Amino acid sequence: MFKAVISDTRNWKSSIDAIASILDEGTFIIDSDGMHLRAMDPSQIAMLDFNLPASSFESFELDRPIDIGIDFAEMSKITKRVKAEDKIHLSLDKRLGMTFKGDTTRSFKIAVIDAHSSPPKEPQIEFTSSAKIPPAIIKEALKDAELVSNHVALSIDDGFNIACDGDTGSVEIRLPEEKLLSLEKKSASRAVFSLDHLNNILKEAEPPSIVQVKLRTDAPLQISYSIGDSKLVYYLAPRIESM
Amino acid sequence: MFKAVISDTRNWKSSIDAIASILDEGTFIIDSDGMHLRAMDPSQIAMLDFNLPASSFESFELDRPIDIGIDFAEMSKITKRVKAEDKIHLSLDKRLGMTFKGDTTRSFKIAVIDAHSSPPKEPQIEFTSSAKIPPAIIKEALKDAELVSNHVALSIDDGFNIACDGDTGSVEIRLPEEKLLSLEKKSASRAVFSLDHLNNILKEAEPPSIVQVKLRTDAPLQISYSIGDSKLVYYLAPRIESM
Amino acid sequence: MFKAVISDTRNWKSSIDAIASILDEGTFIIDSDGMHLRAMDPSQIAMLDFNLPASSFESFELDRPIDIGIDFAEMSKITKRVKAEDKIHLSLDKRLGMTFKGDTTRSFKIAVIDAHSSPPKEPQIEFTSSAKIPPAIIKEALKDAELVSNHVALSIDDGFNIACDGDTGSVEIRLPEEKLLSLEKKSASRAVFSLDHLNNILKEAEPPSIVQVKLRTDAPLQISYSIGDSKLVYYLAPRIESM
């Protein structure tokens, strides 16, 4: 038996959109602590670790831990239809029920899919630098980079830097320490990443949330931010080729 | 000789768009009572009966009843160009003239087409239930349904209900009597209809107009509403297959 | 050595967009007077003569006149990324540098291309009539014309007129002298032009700028307007076929 009520529908919608930007499908593990999801994206180069605590639900009833396999494209389509003033009632029988109660009552059910591979392990990386950045600044910088290339070098030295070189031109954005919310550095770090993946990862990062980027040269990066009470931690493998 | 001036251009534009949503072409019958049109859509499952009284024109001169065959896609493209403060002067020689007089004078002429089949008869159906619904509520409910299917069951019992079932999920929206503007029921009624057709029929239904839906189990429905002084009555055949 | 700073980024962006609407590539000639460009569009029926005086730059340093071959699609993509509060620092080494300095510093470099054909001569035409028109009025009239054709007759007699005839209908817009900002006429003039080219030419014409159209029967027209301190003069060859 699983029944839960969500009243912060705006952040729920945004959380589902964030997941759907990276994952086609995945398995929510629901236990007394809340909802958890850890999965690789279809290209196997990005991992998302998602957690939403039970305390953030208006009500949360569960008799034993369960898994729910979700087609996130379907779930996102339906979640988009919720209105700000609705509450979402989740329930599970053979299908996952989402009832939007507000001015009207609208009941949706989606198929539960079989996505039963065990979740990947969280990578253990000794990051050598870290920066906290307002979401708008890093998202705008990635849009600049998009003009000339589909991959981008992220580096941390005296600041946080984004650079890329394409056939038709090059872009370099340097964010000095005073533009950042924090900067920590054991040693300078630099690696090259897919712009598409970075854009998908950051799609739902919005103020007042802050984006934390952790780097280690030629190693996967870690990006983390919150959507309301949801915590999202991403790992993205670097591109190997020289740049 | 036919000459008429329209000053309520907003509702004229919306009326032409409503007709163009259902009909590729059709024949306006213009007589001393006003403009009339009754035609089946190209798929022959929806009928529109349209009436705009002569009294709603700023001026209306006609020496004898006439027919004007119209390509509604062309007419809608041109009507979209009218500005709120313009007046529309209609006239007929070999082509239909539409002159928009406002800050500037812009004259359009479109070909009159040969669409001379006699209008279909209005179906005679003893409806067993009827509901009056604010346009936004029924249009939003159809958008919900669209997520999972391309057809939808409409039913009236203690309220007005919209339900559908698709491969990926199901949707059910129940509007109890207190959400409706009126509800009449001789017996419970239910039939299944094409969502595309319902969307096209309701496209221009906007407040303060009210949508009236009349049902009879497994029979065509009737939907009616007004656009300013225009009265639009639609019939839509049900889908035969079980659902 | 060339270094210049632009503080009126809005008009610079609009100027580059105006050029990119007509030209794929072209060569800026930069001398102590400012930036100059004269080139034919790829179809060889429209010519643009562009001038931006050195005085309109916040700073402008140049040791000798230079040519810079530009891919305007690339330049426009990058210029679109500038923010209203940024200043643009132009510089030239092997590539053209555009650094946007504002809240952040973003450096772009684009390849300088080899577009070294000598600029075309400005046509010498004795125009027989001329009208000054608010940009919105002529742009709206061209949108009306677009509904029925892809070319349009422009004429000046007692007013400025736009007319076209297509398979499905016809459009005529007459702007009497009192709707125009000025009208001069030695003799009535009329010629037929490509709507696509007229739309591209006028794309960035916005108030408070005024569009001046000069005509001579069956001869190229001249259209001129300003974008801030930029002066744009276009010539467009008429269509030969009768209409």
Side-chain angles (χ1 to χ4, degrees), chain C:
Chain C
M1 188 273 305
F2 167 58
K3 285 168 81 173
V5 178
I6 297 157
S7 51
D8 181 2
T9 54
R10 203 178 64 84
N11 282 321
W12 173 261
K13 190 172 4 180
S14 178
S15 295
I16 298 301
D17 284 350
I19 297 171
S21 300
I22 284 285
L23 302 179
D24 293 344
E25 52 183 54
T27 300
F28 275 127
I29 296 174
I30 304 179
D31 60 24
S32 56
D33 291 338
M35 296 183 76
H36 317 284
L37 170 73
R38 188 186 298 150
M40 300 295 291
D41 85 307
S43 68
Q44 302 284 317
I45 69 166
M47 177 192 292
L48 166 60
D49 183 74
F50 172 91
N51 282 286
L52 179 60
S55 60
S56 77
F57 291 82
E58 185 176 305
S59 75
F60 188 88
E61 294 170 63
L62 184 74
D63 53 3
R64 54 173 184 80
I66 55 171
D67 292 0
I68 310 182
I70 300 286
D71 177 329
F72 284 109
E74 286 302 318
M75 191 169 192
S76 170
K77 274 198 315 184
I78 287 171
T79 309
K80 275 185 179 34
R81 297 292 305 152
V82 74
K83 293 172 190 163
E85 68 274 17
D86 285 345
K87 291 187 180 184
I88 303 175
H89 291 242
L90 298 179
S91 62
L92 185 70
D93 48 38
K94 277 177 192 165
R95 299 189 289 177
L96 175 66
M98 290 178 280
T99 299
F100 301 164
K101 293 195 180 173
D103 193 36
T104 56
T105 294
R106 300 176 291 153
S107 301
F108 298 82
K109 294 193 175 190
I110 59 168
V112 169
I113 62 171
D114 188 28
H116 219 89
S117 62
S118 54
K121 287 200 179 146
E122 194 158 3
Q124 300 301 322
I125 299 163
E126 275 193 43
F127 294 105
T128 52
S129 62
S130 162
K132 291 187 179 165
I133 311 170
I137 288 184
I138 187 166
K139 287 164 86 170
E140 283 297 299
L142 294 176
K143 279 194 201 162
D144 290 336
E146 233 172 48
L147 298 181
V148 300
S149 185
N150 57 14
H151 52 275
V152 68
L154 303 186
S155 62
I156 293 177
D157 45 30
D158 300 333
F160 180 81
N161 311 301
I162 294 178
C164 65
D165 234 306
D167 293 341
T168 56
S170 67
V171 178
E172 184 171 11
I173 299 117
R174 302 185 69 82
L175 302 171
E177 189 165 356
E178 65 268 23
K179 297 285 177 197
L180 305 172
L181 300 162
S182 86
L183 182 73
E184 285 171 42
K185 185 187 62 168
K186 279 183 229 159
S187 60
S189 325
R190 181 184 181 282
V192 175
F193 301 97
S194 145
L195 256 172
D196 271 358
H197 278 84
L198 288 171
N199 282 331
N200 286 337
I201 285 171
L202 291 167
K203 205 168 164 189
E204 298 294 324
E206 295 292 346
S209 183
I210 286 162
V211 173
Q212 179 166 37
V213 180
K214 293 185 180 180
L215 290 180
R216 179 186 176 90
T217 294
D218 293 337
L221 62 64
Q222 185 200 78
I223 287 179
S224 55
Y225 60 91
S226 302
I227 299 174
D229 292 331
S230 301
K231 305 283 175 218
L232 297 98
V233 180
Y234 296 88
Y235 294 89
L236 178 62
R239 287 173 62 113
I240 307 302
E241 71 266 53
S242 66
M243 171 172 164

